[in-house]
Amino acid sequence: YESDSELYAAPNVYDGCVLVTTESGKLLVLDAQTGDLKWHFQIEAPLRCWPAVIEGRVFLAGCDERLHAIDIETEKEVEGFAIDGPTGSTPASWGKNVYFGTETGTFYAITTSPLQKSWSQQDFQRAQPIRVAAAVDKRVVIYGGQGKRMVALNPMNGEQLWEFPLRSRTEGAPVISGERVVFATVRGRVYAIDIKNGAKKWEYEAGGSFQASPAVVDRKLVIGNTNGLLYCFGEKKDAAGEGHR
């Protein structure tokens, strides 16, 4: 299927459909088997977020300064919520909330039904755009961005738990893996941080630049770099079968 503009976000798959957002402001819903367009939803501004699906609704944080909730069955927007700036940040879901940031540096927790603000948080002294998805579980919600720091908040009330300063911004989303959060920066560094207190547990300097989010599977971290290399970190066994980090 050829869209009418650029595609900046990954697609999502739900109930036999492929969901794609476009720079022209469209949510495209394609048949997963044939690629034919089934229906689309349009806003009057770019859509750069990954389409998050929660209980039969697609949640889109748009550059039109709104969070949209579209019912997949009826193909209609059922709710909208005004935010304080444009965003391409993908809504992350946990419990009854979605979590995302905006170009103004505000980080939101919005209930999914009805759309209402649970809380919001902004550091007015260092407000910087938040353009990538957060990582969230029952313990913590963690986000990075253009502000050269990784921030951990209480997902229930937005209270800051810790902050990890960086020398450069992050373009890829963090990933929670067990007791650690892993992420990479545009200056070519990969980090593993203790999820409880923000202490650095591990760091690797690869050079180049990391624009992507890491993938974590089978106790390994995989991430690509602009220097043309794909990195895999984890336990490596020697000839005797002994494991080494």
Side-chain angles (χ1 to χ4, degrees), residues 33-47:
Q33 297 299 316
T34 66
D36 294 335
L37 179 67
K38 300 185 71 172
W39 56 274
H40 79 275
F41 170 78
Q42 176 84 57
I43 69 170
E44 299 305 317
L47 280 171

Side-chain angles (χ1 to χ4, degrees), residues 137-199:
D137 66 11
K138 64 181 181 180
R139 301 167 294 178
V140 66
V141 55
I142 301 173
Y143 70 89
Q146 306 297 297
K148 298 182 180 180
R149 59 186 182 138
M150 195 63 59
V151 179
L153 307 175
N154 183 320
M156 300 302 295
N157 57 26
E159 176 187 1
Q160 182 167 314
L161 302 176
W162 52 260
E163 176 181 315
F164 184 79
L166 298 167
R167 295 181 179 178
S168 58
R169 67 188 188 277
T170 55
E171 295 288 355
V175 174
I176 294 173
S177 177
E179 298 301 314
R180 298 182 180 184
V181 57
V182 295
F183 60 92
T185 73
V186 298
R187 291 186 64 177
R189 291 176 181 266
V190 187
Y191 293 92
I193 305 298
D194 191 301
I195 199 171
K196 295 179 181 178
N197 55 26

Side-chain angles (χ1 to χ4, degrees), residues 95-115:
K96 297 181 179 180
N97 289 337
V98 289
Y99 302 86
F100 62 94
T102 70
E103 287 291 306
T104 63
T106 302
F107 191 83
Y108 282 97
I110 307 293
T111 59
T112 56
S113 183
L115 295 186

Side-chain angles (χ1 to χ4, degrees), residues 4-173:
D4 60 358
S5 63
E6 297 91 337
L7 310 176
Y8 286 113
N12 199 354
V13 178
Y14 176 80
D15 195 24
C17 297
V18 178
L19 290 76
V20 185
T21 56
T22 76
E23 182 70 5
S24 63
K26 290 180 180 177
L27 167 68
L28 303 173
V29 181
L30 310 176
D31 185 285
Q33 297 299 316
T34 66
D36 294 335
L37 179 67
K38 300 185 71 172
W39 56 274
H40 79 275
F41 170 78
Q42 176 84 57
I43 69 170
E44 299 305 317
L47 280 171
R48 297 170 180 168
C49 70
W50 181 76
V53 180
I54 306 165
E55 296 182 347
R57 290 181 172 187
V58 185
F59 289 83
L60 303 171
C63 290
D64 61 348
E65 304 184 7
R66 291 185 69 80
L67 175 68
H68 302 268
I70 299 96
D71 187 283
I72 294 180
E73 184 175 343
T74 65
E75 306 173 9
K76 304 292 185 181
E77 180 172 9
V78 290
E79 289 189 83
F81 184 86
I83 54 180
D84 71 349
T87 183
S89 176
T90 296
S93 171
W94 179 79
K96 297 181 179 180
N97 289 337
V98 289
Y99 302 86
F100 62 94
T102 70
E103 287 291 306
T104 63
T106 302
F107 191 83
Y108 282 97
I110 307 293
T111 59
T112 56
S113 183
L115 295 186
Q116 295 179 347
K117 184 172 74 171
S118 289
W119 52 262
S120 64
Q121 188 258 29
Q122 184 181 46
D123 183 340
F124 292 98
Q125 299 297 319
R126 297 181 295 174
Q128 294 290 333
I130 304 168
R131 294 174 178 166
V132 295
V136 61
D137 66 11
K138 64 181 181 180
R139 301 167 294 178
V140 66
V141 55
I142 301 173
Y143 70 89
Q146 306 297 297
K148 298 182 180 180
R149 59 186 182 138
M150 195 63 59
V151 179
L153 307 175
N154 183 320
M156 300 302 295
N157 57 26
E159 176 187 1
Q160 182 167 314
L161 302 176
W162 52 260
E163 176 181 315
F164 184 79
L166 298 167
R167 295 181 179 178
S168 58
R169 67 188 188 277
T170 55
E171 295 288 355

